[in-house]
Amino acid sequence: MATIELRGVEKRFGDQYAVKPMDLTIESGEFVVLLGPSGCGKTTTLRMISGLEAVTGGAITFDGRDVTWSHPSDRDIAFVCQFFALYSHLTCHDNIAFPLQARGESRGEVKRQVAEVAELLQIGHLLNVRPGALSGGDQQRVALARALVRRPAAFLMDEPLGALDADFRETMRAEIKRLHLEQKATTVYVTHDQIEAMAMGDKIVVMSAAEVQQVGSPADVYYDPANLFVARFIGSPGMNLLSGRYEQGVFRFGTDQSYTVPADVKPALERAIGQGELILGFRPEAVNVQPSGPIASKVYASDLHGGYAMLHLDIGGETVVHARAGRGQRYAMDSEVRFDLDPEQVRFFHPATEEAIRKEQVS
Amino acid sequence: MQQSPGAPRQPITSSTRVDQVGFRPQLMRGIKAGLAVVAMIIMLIPAVWMGMTAFKSRPDAVSVPPKVFFEPTVEGFVSLLTKRRQLTGEEIDAYKQRIDLSFADRLALKRGQAIIGQSDFPKFLRNSLIISTVSTFFSVFFGVLAAYAFSRFKVRGENDLLFFILSTRMLPPVVVTIPIFLMYRALNLYDTHFGLILLYTAFNLSFAVWLLKGFIDEIPREYEEAALVDGYTRLQAFRKIVLPQSMTGIAATTVFSFIFAWNEYAFALMLTADVARTAPPSLPSRIGTGGVEWAAIAAGSLACLVPVILLTFGLRQHLLRGVTFGAIRKG
Amino acid sequence: MSGIRLEGITKRFGDLTALRDLSLTVHDGEFFVLLGPTGAGKTTTLRVIAGLERQEEGAVYFDEHLMNEIPPADRDTAFVFQQYSLYPNMTVYENMAFPLKSPLRNLDKGEIDRRIRETAEKLRIGQLLDRKTANLSGGEMQRVSIGRAIVREPRVFLMDEPLSNLDAKLRESLRVELEHLQKTQGITTIFVTHDQIEALTMADRLAVLNEGRIVQVGTPEDIYDRPATTFVAQLVGTPRINLIEAQRRNGVLKMSKGAVELPYADSAVSLPETFLLGIRPEDITLRADGEFTGEVVLTEPLGVETIIHLKTGEERLLAVVAGTKQIAIGETVSFGVVTDHLHFFGADQKRLGEAGGE
């Protein structure tokens, strides 16, 4: 297993960046997800790591070995893409055996290794079938097996679940993660689906507009987004964001609404903006509906999500706040609801730079 | 799919493989441009040569080695458009005294000829225009209706019918010229405009149906269905939604049909004599007793080329979208 | 506005039967959702109502009027398609004016203009009116499509997966807007989707379809809390319901492959000896004093909640806990089961006991 390092890696077309210079370390055995909307440069980054795309600047090393200009086949990687790319004229067994035969392994050895990997992926019963006869999920399992059987230094996966049905995706998501836990292979995984990224990644690299926005664990990007983009992109729905003014420890917004800022962030806020424009953010589960709450709202819509309910609360000024609530908490449209926020879960952002303003660490 | 903001708007499908990096991109671009220019020159030479010949005098046109620089003259056009008589020596002298000679007369006189009337070429050109335009109109009109029906309705035996329509194109025209000639004579269609219009429409229709069906298939049904539930009849939906949407296909079909009818030679030669004769068969008749009139032929060819160029140029916007056929942006 | 009734609709395409004897009542002013997987017959049902398809058997009523012979133009429905429905050669304004200019409606110019501007305001697309539709983003296009439907003030809205081509964030916000709009406008709406979240969140009532038949009709609560079959149970709810082979033995319910034994409260349903036990992941609660133990094989932290894959005996269970819970893989945890939310299904996959809805 390899440690992959990117130092100032960039991709430019003329004077426009597809990927702005980025640094990233992918530890040996780590599962790293490149996450972002389409066009953010995540696939280009993956393709540069694989060598399918040439960099226009910077260096890539595998275990300290500079591979920036090596041929893809010299990098000892396996690539799994959205469209399974299985050979339709070969049986699943022969598909999986293909990379081994290319390496010139003996017949017995090939058979043994294919059987082993087939068992791991629970596709033993499919080995004599041709891929065309299989469901999307099974095809992707075979594609994974073919990648896995080579025992490469790293797996690169480009939206491998993108072409599958929603419920299949959930199953395969867990399966790939389990596989990773067992194999501990260095994996770089590209997706635009934040749920997938949260569920699978040890480390998430959030990208947007050719630039890395934040690198962190799922908990980091969810609870402590580095900027407004990450706050909006992560979570379903994303973070609620209110624009307002900060004055003497109070956040004023909407039509004459106010919220008293938790005392421990005041110093950081005052250092960052003094008094003035500020953006306040909180996750839907930070909302506590209670009659004495400081924020007033009108129910815009309320709906059942299965195990819980969502309240969509109009706080005035065309702003609707999404709040997660118990199933019992259903309200008629237009009824008045007051709520409070869990102070632990309130976040602040600078309106101009869009960067998070975090409370100062007490040392 | 992934898109890079800096890249062209398509996803990156062709990748720069590391092992293929080496040539500098600028150099490659230069070489490609150079090759394109060379190819363009090779392809344009005949057309340019024709254009030049049309403006050459008789000796210049046949001179060996060919002249690239010459004194331009419209002699060729004059001989294309007029009937002339060879003058005797005395007559030439007499003519030279006259002061009422037109520009054309004087050009003819240079070659010892007097203009005695208009040639038939303008009439043939007009025939070509009438016949090609009318037959193209009918091909496209019926073609659109038939293609729409094939595309949208369940037509009984649809595939057989479509194949049958296509099969009319499989017979080489030469094979049927004699029977058609006999039929046309019996039906009094020989040497009539209507006769050729009928024939060209029949030939072009099969092609028009196939081409237009492809284009109409590409238009999502949802557009029409939205119009249907919005309170329009099928015919209104066809006129207001389908027709504007299939302009690309209609333009392409129009150009192809027109070019076919305009260029057609064999039938025009067999089925017309004088009244309905079109331009293409009239040109070779220039290769007559007085030697080959190269300048006149080139002038005639040029005259034949112009309408096609104008039509294609006029429809170029629609045609260009037709080139990306299949990638039409869907609302 | 109208109520809609389908009676015994059967629709075939060649050898394929798309709808089998389907009957359905949608009340006036209701937001009604048709939910089902691809090929279930949802879209066909909608197209039969619009008159774009003709059923072989059965009758379509708008209120008490039989619509079988009425062409689509005269049914006064508004159809919002999944995609492609905006006329690309027209501006947004012309698109919205198009249905109003129909010879059937014969409205004068001032009235048309007034209605378009009013609707555009409501949907916040006023700034788009002069744009060509080809230059709009996906979300803007669907907003305009909805606008074109609303501007007509039709008897019924028919929506065929209008959100499914949009990205997740946009889908969420349009969903809430659509829900709000329908409640304020009160126009009968039939909405087709394969997305269970869309169905649960927006519907007043929904029908679950499978293979051309209706499996269950009811409110979102009916469908989620008392699914009629294992198909419905697995279709709604994410992560998916745990379905476990279980036995009734000596007054306890025992998982065939797991170590979990639950008391049999025999009041509600009489159970056969073997059956399928359904437990929603949120009804498995991780707590220190839980009666059962299991090994954590996988965790999926989604932020707002964490999905935990447990192994108890040979049985795999999914549980959901709030927040981002740090639990090591391989750790043994204790858990409990909320026993009054259990679901029981027989060998025929049907619910034992009363199903929700009608």
PDB file of all heavy atoms in Angstrom, chain A residues 16-18 38-44 47 51-54 69 71, chain B residues 1-8 12-19 21:
ATOM      1  N   GLN A  16      -6.886  29.252 -17.879  1.00  0.00           N
ATOM      2  CA  GLN A  16      -7.935  28.856 -16.936  1.00  0.00           C
ATOM      3  C   GLN A  16      -7.550  27.567 -16.239  1.00  0.00           C
ATOM      4  O   GLN A  16      -7.033  26.641 -16.859  1.00  0.00           O
ATOM      5  CB  GLN A  16      -9.253  28.677 -17.675  1.00  0.00           C
ATOM      6  CG  GLN A  16      -9.958  30.009 -17.899  1.00  0.00           C
ATOM      7  CD  GLN A  16     -11.396  29.799 -18.243  1.00  0.00           C
ATOM      8  OE1 GLN A  16     -11.700  29.141 -19.226  1.00  0.00           O
ATOM      9  NE2 GLN A  16     -12.282  30.340 -17.439  1.00  0.00           N
ATOM     10  N   TYR A  17      -7.823  27.541 -14.931  1.00  0.00           N
ATOM     11  CA  TYR A  17      -7.466  26.363 -14.144  1.00  0.00           C
ATOM     12  C   TYR A  17      -8.591  25.342 -14.139  1.00  0.00           C
ATOM     13  O   TYR A  17      -9.748  25.693 -13.913  1.00  0.00           O
ATOM     14  CB  TYR A  17      -7.194  26.768 -12.704  1.00  0.00           C
ATOM     15  CG  TYR A  17      -5.828  27.381 -12.499  1.00  0.00           C
ATOM     16  CD1 TYR A  17      -5.670  28.751 -12.372  1.00  0.00           C
ATOM     17  CD2 TYR A  17      -4.705  26.564 -12.422  1.00  0.00           C
ATOM     18  CE1 TYR A  17      -4.425  29.314 -12.179  1.00  0.00           C
ATOM     19  CE2 TYR A  17      -3.446  27.111 -12.228  1.00  0.00           C
ATOM     20  CZ  TYR A  17      -3.307  28.476 -12.100  1.00  0.00           C
ATOM     21  OH  TYR A  17      -2.077  29.017 -11.912  1.00  0.00           O
ATOM     22  N   ALA A  18      -8.275  24.075 -14.401  1.00  0.00           N
ATOM     23  CA  ALA A  18      -9.212  22.991 -14.125  1.00  0.00           C
ATOM     24  C   ALA A  18      -9.003  22.546 -12.687  1.00  0.00           C
ATOM     25  O   ALA A  18      -9.937  22.132 -12.008  1.00  0.00           O
ATOM     26  CB  ALA A  18      -8.987  21.837 -15.083  1.00  0.00           C
ATOM     27  N   SER A  38     -20.345  19.021 -10.047  1.00  0.00           N
ATOM     28  CA  SER A  38     -19.711  18.751 -11.334  1.00  0.00           C
ATOM     29  C   SER A  38     -18.969  19.991 -11.797  1.00  0.00           C
ATOM     30  O   SER A  38     -19.416  21.110 -11.595  1.00  0.00           O
ATOM     31  CB  SER A  38     -20.753  18.321 -12.358  1.00  0.00           C
ATOM     32  OG  SER A  38     -21.676  19.343 -12.572  1.00  0.00           O
ATOM     33  N   GLY A  39     -17.796  19.756 -12.352  1.00  0.00           N
ATOM     34  CA  GLY A  39     -16.990  20.867 -12.821  1.00  0.00           C
ATOM     35  C   GLY A  39     -16.032  21.430 -11.786  1.00  0.00           C
ATOM     36  O   GLY A  39     -15.380  22.429 -12.034  1.00  0.00           O
ATOM     37  N   CYS A  40     -15.914  20.766 -10.633  1.00  0.00           N
ATOM     38  CA  CYS A  40     -15.073  21.345  -9.584  1.00  0.00           C
ATOM     39  C   CYS A  40     -13.619  20.916  -9.707  1.00  0.00           C
ATOM     40  O   CYS A  40     -12.765  21.434  -9.020  1.00  0.00           O
ATOM     41  CB  CYS A  40     -15.608  20.985  -8.209  1.00  0.00           C
ATOM     42  SG  CYS A  40     -15.351  19.266  -7.781  1.00  0.00           S
ATOM     43  N   GLY A  41     -13.332  19.951 -10.578  1.00  0.00           N
ATOM     44  CA  GLY A  41     -11.955  19.527 -10.778  1.00  0.00           C
ATOM     45  C   GLY A  41     -11.594  18.223 -10.076  1.00  0.00           C
ATOM     46  O   GLY A  41     -10.448  17.804 -10.104  1.00  0.00           O
ATOM     47  N   LYS A  42     -12.591  17.563  -9.444  1.00  0.00           N
ATOM     48  CA  LYS A  42     -12.258  16.363  -8.678  1.00  0.00           C
ATOM     49  C   LYS A  42     -11.834  15.206  -9.574  1.00  0.00           C
ATOM     50  O   LYS A  42     -10.876  14.495  -9.277  1.00  0.00           O
ATOM     51  CB  LYS A  42     -13.437  15.955  -7.777  1.00  0.00           C
ATOM     52  CG  LYS A  42     -14.743  15.716  -8.513  1.00  0.00           C
ATOM     53  CD  LYS A  42     -15.911  15.590  -7.536  1.00  0.00           C
ATOM     54  CE  LYS A  42     -17.185  15.127  -8.213  1.00  0.00           C
ATOM     55  NZ  LYS A  42     -17.710  16.011  -9.245  1.00  0.00           N
ATOM     56  N   THR A  43     -12.541  15.023 -10.700  1.00  0.00           N
ATOM     57  CA  THR A  43     -12.174  13.925 -11.592  1.00  0.00           C
ATOM     58  C   THR A  43     -10.821  14.188 -12.248  1.00  0.00           C
ATOM     59  O   THR A  43     -10.007  13.275 -12.393  1.00  0.00           O
ATOM     60  CB  THR A  43     -13.265  13.717 -12.662  1.00  0.00           C
ATOM     61  OG1 THR A  43     -14.457  13.314 -12.003  1.00  0.00           O
ATOM     62  CG2 THR A  43     -12.861  12.655 -13.654  1.00  0.00           C
ATOM     63  N   THR A  44     -10.585  15.439 -12.606  1.00  0.00           N
ATOM     64  CA  THR A  44      -9.286  15.787 -13.190  1.00  0.00           C
ATOM     65  C   THR A  44      -8.167  15.466 -12.203  1.00  0.00           C
ATOM     66  O   THR A  44      -7.127  14.933 -12.575  1.00  0.00           O
ATOM     67  CB  THR A  44      -9.261  17.278 -13.566  1.00  0.00           C
ATOM     68  OG1 THR A  44     -10.416  17.557 -14.357  1.00  0.00           O
ATOM     69  CG2 THR A  44      -8.025  17.624 -14.363  1.00  0.00           C
ATOM     70  N   ARG A  47      -7.619  11.806 -12.209  1.00  0.00           N
ATOM     71  CA  ARG A  47      -6.965  11.369 -13.444  1.00  0.00           C
ATOM     72  C   ARG A  47      -5.495  11.767 -13.468  1.00  0.00           C
ATOM     73  O   ARG A  47      -4.672  11.088 -14.073  1.00  0.00           O
ATOM     74  CB  ARG A  47      -7.696  11.926 -14.657  1.00  0.00           C
ATOM     75  CG  ARG A  47      -9.084  11.305 -14.836  1.00  0.00           C
ATOM     76  CD  ARG A  47      -9.855  11.980 -15.944  1.00  0.00           C
ATOM     77  NE  ARG A  47      -9.220  11.787 -17.231  1.00  0.00           N
ATOM     78  CZ  ARG A  47      -9.433  10.745 -18.022  1.00  0.00           C
ATOM     79  NH1 ARG A  47     -10.283   9.820 -17.654  1.00  0.00           N
ATOM     80  NH2 ARG A  47      -8.824  10.635 -19.165  1.00  0.00           N
ATOM     81  N   GLY A  51      -2.359   9.269 -13.822  1.00  0.00           N
ATOM     82  CA  GLY A  51      -1.461   9.410 -14.963  1.00  0.00           C
ATOM     83  C   GLY A  51      -2.195   9.420 -16.281  1.00  0.00           C
ATOM     84  O   GLY A  51      -1.597   9.466 -17.340  1.00  0.00           O
ATOM     85  N   LEU A  52      -3.533   9.357 -16.246  1.00  0.00           N
ATOM     86  CA  LEU A  52      -4.301   9.427 -17.483  1.00  0.00           C
ATOM     87  C   LEU A  52      -4.349  10.861 -17.995  1.00  0.00           C
ATOM     88  O   LEU A  52      -4.675  11.117 -19.134  1.00  0.00           O
ATOM     89  CB  LEU A  52      -5.727   8.911 -17.260  1.00  0.00           C
ATOM     90  CG  LEU A  52      -5.826   7.418 -17.000  1.00  0.00           C
ATOM     91  CD1 LEU A  52      -7.208   7.041 -16.520  1.00  0.00           C
ATOM     92  CD2 LEU A  52      -5.473   6.640 -18.252  1.00  0.00           C
ATOM     93  N   GLU A  53      -4.030  11.779 -17.113  1.00  0.00           N
ATOM     94  CA  GLU A  53      -4.032  13.193 -17.484  1.00  0.00           C
ATOM     95  C   GLU A  53      -2.695  13.757 -17.028  1.00  0.00           C
ATOM     96  O   GLU A  53      -2.249  13.474 -15.927  1.00  0.00           O
ATOM     97  CB  GLU A  53      -5.179  13.881 -16.734  1.00  0.00           C
ATOM     98  CG  GLU A  53      -5.543  15.248 -17.217  1.00  0.00           C
ATOM     99  CD  GLU A  53      -6.500  15.181 -18.395  1.00  0.00           C
ATOM    100  OE1 GLU A  53      -7.429  14.362 -18.373  1.00  0.00           O
ATOM    101  OE2 GLU A  53      -6.300  15.962 -19.327  1.00  0.00           O
ATOM    102  N   ALA A  54      -2.045  14.529 -17.899  1.00  0.00           N
ATOM    103  CA  ALA A  54      -0.756  15.101 -17.525  1.00  0.00           C
ATOM    104  C   ALA A  54      -0.956  16.330 -16.655  1.00  0.00           C
ATOM    105  O   ALA A  54      -1.887  17.090 -16.881  1.00  0.00           O
ATOM    106  CB  ALA A  54       0.026  15.484 -18.783  1.00  0.00           C
ATOM    107  N   TRP A  69       5.757  11.942 -14.037  1.00  0.00           N
ATOM    108  CA  TRP A  69       5.795  11.719 -15.479  1.00  0.00           C
ATOM    109  C   TRP A  69       5.817  10.237 -15.845  1.00  0.00           C
ATOM    110  O   TRP A  69       6.190   9.880 -16.949  1.00  0.00           O
ATOM    111  CB  TRP A  69       6.982  12.471 -16.097  1.00  0.00           C
ATOM    112  CG  TRP A  69       6.836  13.935 -15.887  1.00  0.00           C
ATOM    113  CD1 TRP A  69       7.435  14.694 -14.939  1.00  0.00           C
ATOM    114  CD2 TRP A  69       5.956  14.803 -16.595  1.00  0.00           C
ATOM    115  NE1 TRP A  69       6.988  15.979 -15.006  1.00  0.00           N
ATOM    116  CE2 TRP A  69       6.081  16.083 -16.023  1.00  0.00           C
ATOM    117  CE3 TRP A  69       5.054  14.622 -17.655  1.00  0.00           C
ATOM    118  CZ2 TRP A  69       5.345  17.175 -16.473  1.00  0.00           C
ATOM    119  CZ3 TRP A  69       4.340  15.712 -18.106  1.00  0.00           C
ATOM    120  CH2 TRP A  69       4.492  16.981 -17.518  1.00  0.00           C
ATOM    121  N   HIS A  71       4.245   6.566 -16.775  1.00  0.00           N
ATOM    122  CA  HIS A  71       3.116   6.003 -17.492  1.00  0.00           C
ATOM    123  C   HIS A  71       2.127   5.410 -16.479  1.00  0.00           C
ATOM    124  O   HIS A  71       2.539   4.881 -15.449  1.00  0.00           O
ATOM    125  CB  HIS A  71       3.653   4.904 -18.418  1.00  0.00           C
ATOM    126  CG  HIS A  71       2.665   4.444 -19.418  1.00  0.00           C
ATOM    127  ND1 HIS A  71       1.661   3.561 -19.109  1.00  0.00           N
ATOM    128  CD2 HIS A  71       2.496   4.757 -20.724  1.00  0.00           C
ATOM    129  CE1 HIS A  71       0.936   3.345 -20.177  1.00  0.00           C
ATOM    130  NE2 HIS A  71       1.412   4.062 -21.178  1.00  0.00           N
TER     131      HIS A  71
ATOM    132  N   MET B   1     -21.594  14.052 -14.854  1.00  0.00           N
ATOM    133  CA  MET B   1     -20.202  13.949 -15.262  1.00  0.00           C
ATOM    134  C   MET B   1     -19.403  15.175 -14.834  1.00  0.00           C
ATOM    135  O   MET B   1     -19.908  16.249 -14.638  1.00  0.00           O
ATOM    136  CB  MET B   1     -20.108  13.812 -16.777  1.00  0.00           C
ATOM    137  CG  MET B   1     -20.231  12.398 -17.289  1.00  0.00           C
ATOM    138  SD  MET B   1     -19.070  11.240 -16.571  1.00  0.00           S
ATOM    139  CE  MET B   1     -17.542  11.846 -17.267  1.00  0.00           C
ATOM    140  N   GLN B   2     -18.174  14.940 -14.760  1.00  0.00           N
ATOM    141  CA  GLN B   2     -17.247  15.948 -14.292  1.00  0.00           C
ATOM    142  C   GLN B   2     -16.942  16.929 -15.407  1.00  0.00           C
ATOM    143  O   GLN B   2     -16.722  16.571 -16.533  1.00  0.00           O
ATOM    144  CB  GLN B   2     -15.980  15.193 -13.904  1.00  0.00           C
ATOM    145  CG  GLN B   2     -14.797  16.034 -13.651  1.00  0.00           C
ATOM    146  CD  GLN B   2     -14.899  16.626 -12.294  1.00  0.00           C
ATOM    147  OE1 GLN B   2     -15.910  16.480 -11.650  1.00  0.00           O
ATOM    148  NE2 GLN B   2     -13.906  17.308 -11.855  1.00  0.00           N
ATOM    149  N   GLN B   3     -16.939  18.203 -15.074  1.00  0.00           N
ATOM    150  CA  GLN B   3     -16.500  19.186 -16.042  1.00  0.00           C
ATOM    151  C   GLN B   3     -15.483  20.102 -15.403  1.00  0.00           C
ATOM    152  O   GLN B   3     -15.573  20.411 -14.235  1.00  0.00           O
ATOM    153  CB  GLN B   3     -17.670  20.027 -16.528  1.00  0.00           C
ATOM    154  CG  GLN B   3     -18.520  19.288 -17.524  1.00  0.00           C
ATOM    155  CD  GLN B   3     -19.587  20.185 -18.085  1.00  0.00           C
ATOM    156  OE1 GLN B   3     -19.557  21.382 -17.885  1.00  0.00           O
ATOM    157  NE2 GLN B   3     -20.520  19.599 -18.774  1.00  0.00           N
ATOM    158  N   SER B   4     -14.554  20.528 -16.186  1.00  0.00           N
ATOM    159  CA  SER B   4     -13.580  21.448 -15.640  1.00  0.00           C
ATOM    160  C   SER B   4     -13.908  22.829 -16.148  1.00  0.00           C
ATOM    161  O   SER B   4     -14.180  23.004 -17.322  1.00  0.00           O
ATOM    162  CB  SER B   4     -12.192  21.043 -16.110  1.00  0.00           C
ATOM    163  OG  SER B   4     -12.007  19.678 -15.849  1.00  0.00           O
ATOM    164  N   PRO B   5     -13.925  23.801 -15.257  1.00  0.00           N
ATOM    165  CA  PRO B   5     -14.325  25.137 -15.675  1.00  0.00           C
ATOM    166  C   PRO B   5     -13.384  25.725 -16.704  1.00  0.00           C
ATOM    167  O   PRO B   5     -13.795  26.493 -17.555  1.00  0.00           O
ATOM    168  CB  PRO B   5     -14.295  25.936 -14.374  1.00  0.00           C
ATOM    169  CG  PRO B   5     -13.468  25.141 -13.431  1.00  0.00           C
ATOM    170  CD  PRO B   5     -13.538  23.724 -13.859  1.00  0.00           C
ATOM    171  N   GLY B   6     -12.127  25.360 -16.614  1.00  0.00           N
ATOM    172  CA  GLY B   6     -11.175  25.944 -17.538  1.00  0.00           C
ATOM    173  C   GLY B   6     -11.231  25.301 -18.904  1.00  0.00           C
ATOM    174  O   GLY B   6     -10.858  25.894 -19.897  1.00  0.00           O
ATOM    175  N   ALA B   7     -11.712  24.071 -18.948  1.00  0.00           N
ATOM    176  CA  ALA B   7     -11.697  23.312 -20.174  1.00  0.00           C
ATOM    177  C   ALA B   7     -12.862  23.727 -21.056  1.00  0.00           C
ATOM    178  O   ALA B   7     -13.728  24.452 -20.632  1.00  0.00           O
ATOM    179  CB  ALA B   7     -11.816  21.831 -19.841  1.00  0.00           C
ATOM    180  N   PRO B   8     -12.855  23.264 -22.311  1.00  0.00           N
ATOM    181  CA  PRO B   8     -14.048  23.443 -23.126  1.00  0.00           C
ATOM    182  C   PRO B   8     -15.246  22.834 -22.392  1.00  0.00           C
ATOM    183  O   PRO B   8     -15.054  22.013 -21.478  1.00  0.00           O
ATOM    184  CB  PRO B   8     -13.729  22.655 -24.401  1.00  0.00           C
ATOM    185  CG  PRO B   8     -12.311  22.250 -24.322  1.00  0.00           C
ATOM    186  CD  PRO B   8     -11.770  22.622 -23.006  1.00  0.00           C
ATOM    187  N   ILE B  12     -13.936  16.126 -20.117  1.00  0.00           N
ATOM    188  CA  ILE B  12     -12.668  15.772 -20.747  1.00  0.00           C
ATOM    189  C   ILE B  12     -12.748  14.328 -21.176  1.00  0.00           C
ATOM    190  O   ILE B  12     -12.783  13.421 -20.345  1.00  0.00           O
ATOM    191  CB  ILE B  12     -11.517  15.962 -19.750  1.00  0.00           C
ATOM    192  CG1 ILE B  12     -11.479  17.410 -19.311  1.00  0.00           C
ATOM    193  CG2 ILE B  12     -10.202  15.542 -20.363  1.00  0.00           C
ATOM    194  CD1 ILE B  12     -10.700  17.631 -18.057  1.00  0.00           C
ATOM    195  N   THR B  13     -12.831  14.097 -22.465  1.00  0.00           N
ATOM    196  CA  THR B  13     -12.938  12.723 -22.918  1.00  0.00           C
ATOM    197  C   THR B  13     -11.610  12.256 -23.500  1.00  0.00           C
ATOM    198  O   THR B  13     -11.202  11.140 -23.313  1.00  0.00           O
ATOM    199  CB  THR B  13     -14.034  12.564 -23.974  1.00  0.00           C
ATOM    200  OG1 THR B  13     -13.882  13.622 -24.914  1.00  0.00           O
ATOM    201  CG2 THR B  13     -15.401  12.651 -23.336  1.00  0.00           C
ATOM    202  N   SER B  14     -10.943  13.124 -24.216  1.00  0.00           N
ATOM    203  CA  SER B  14      -9.648  12.731 -24.720  1.00  0.00           C
ATOM    204  C   SER B  14      -8.609  13.249 -23.739  1.00  0.00           C
ATOM    205  O   SER B  14      -8.568  14.420 -23.424  1.00  0.00           O
ATOM    206  CB  SER B  14      -9.420  13.344 -26.093  1.00  0.00           C
ATOM    207  OG  SER B  14      -9.404  14.740 -25.986  1.00  0.00           O
ATOM    208  N   SER B  15      -7.824  12.344 -23.219  1.00  0.00           N
ATOM    209  CA  SER B  15      -6.902  12.784 -22.192  1.00  0.00           C
ATOM    210  C   SER B  15      -5.512  12.883 -22.788  1.00  0.00           C
ATOM    211  O   SER B  15      -5.164  12.212 -23.748  1.00  0.00           O
ATOM    212  CB  SER B  15      -6.903  11.777 -21.057  1.00  0.00           C
ATOM    213  OG  SER B  15      -6.606  10.517 -21.576  1.00  0.00           O
ATOM    214  N   THR B  16      -4.723  13.728 -22.185  1.00  0.00           N
ATOM    215  CA  THR B  16      -3.328  13.814 -22.569  1.00  0.00           C
ATOM    216  C   THR B  16      -2.601  12.735 -21.788  1.00  0.00           C
ATOM    217  O   THR B  16      -2.455  12.847 -20.585  1.00  0.00           O
ATOM    218  CB  THR B  16      -2.763  15.175 -22.171  1.00  0.00           C
ATOM    219  OG1 THR B  16      -3.774  16.139 -22.377  1.00  0.00           O
ATOM    220  CG2 THR B  16      -1.538  15.504 -22.975  1.00  0.00           C
ATOM    221  N   ARG B  17      -2.197  11.686 -22.461  1.00  0.00           N
ATOM    222  CA  ARG B  17      -1.484  10.638 -21.739  1.00  0.00           C
ATOM    223  C   ARG B  17      -0.046  11.074 -21.548  1.00  0.00           C
ATOM    224  O   ARG B  17       0.568  11.664 -22.438  1.00  0.00           O
ATOM    225  CB  ARG B  17      -1.543   9.336 -22.526  1.00  0.00           C
ATOM    226  CG  ARG B  17      -2.926   8.752 -22.556  1.00  0.00           C
ATOM    227  CD  ARG B  17      -2.968   7.416 -21.862  1.00  0.00           C
ATOM    228  NE  ARG B  17      -1.812   6.592 -22.157  1.00  0.00           N
ATOM    229  CZ  ARG B  17      -1.907   5.444 -22.795  1.00  0.00           C
ATOM    230  NH1 ARG B  17      -3.057   5.015 -23.249  1.00  0.00           N
ATOM    231  NH2 ARG B  17      -0.830   4.722 -22.971  1.00  0.00           N
ATOM    232  N   VAL B  18       0.448  10.739 -20.395  1.00  0.00           N
ATOM    233  CA  VAL B  18       1.789  11.177 -20.061  1.00  0.00           C
ATOM    234  C   VAL B  18       2.799  10.688 -21.093  1.00  0.00           C
ATOM    235  O   VAL B  18       3.692  11.404 -21.517  1.00  0.00           O
ATOM    236  CB  VAL B  18       2.169  10.671 -18.656  1.00  0.00           C
ATOM    237  CG1 VAL B  18       3.626  10.929 -18.395  1.00  0.00           C
ATOM    238  CG2 VAL B  18       1.313  11.353 -17.631  1.00  0.00           C
ATOM    239  N   ASP B  19       2.606   9.429 -21.556  1.00  0.00           N
ATOM    240  CA  ASP B  19       3.561   8.857 -22.482  1.00  0.00           C
ATOM    241  C   ASP B  19       3.448   9.475 -23.860  1.00  0.00           C
ATOM    242  O   ASP B  19       4.237   9.185 -24.741  1.00  0.00           O
ATOM    243  CB  ASP B  19       3.369   7.339 -22.570  1.00  0.00           C
ATOM    244  CG  ASP B  19       1.938   6.997 -22.940  1.00  0.00           C
ATOM    245  OD1 ASP B  19       1.034   7.711 -22.479  1.00  0.00           O
ATOM    246  OD2 ASP B  19       1.743   6.036 -23.692  1.00  0.00           O
ATOM    247  N   VAL B  21       3.017  12.823 -24.180  1.00  0.00           N
ATOM    248  CA  VAL B  21       3.438  14.210 -24.112  1.00  0.00           C
ATOM    249  C   VAL B  21       4.811  14.274 -24.740  1.00  0.00           C
ATOM    250  O   VAL B  21       5.622  13.381 -24.581  1.00  0.00           O
ATOM    251  CB  VAL B  21       3.505  14.688 -22.646  1.00  0.00           C
ATOM    252  CG1 VAL B  21       3.985  16.128 -22.579  1.00  0.00           C
ATOM    253  CG2 VAL B  21       2.160  14.559 -22.007  1.00  0.00           C
TER     254      VAL B  21
END
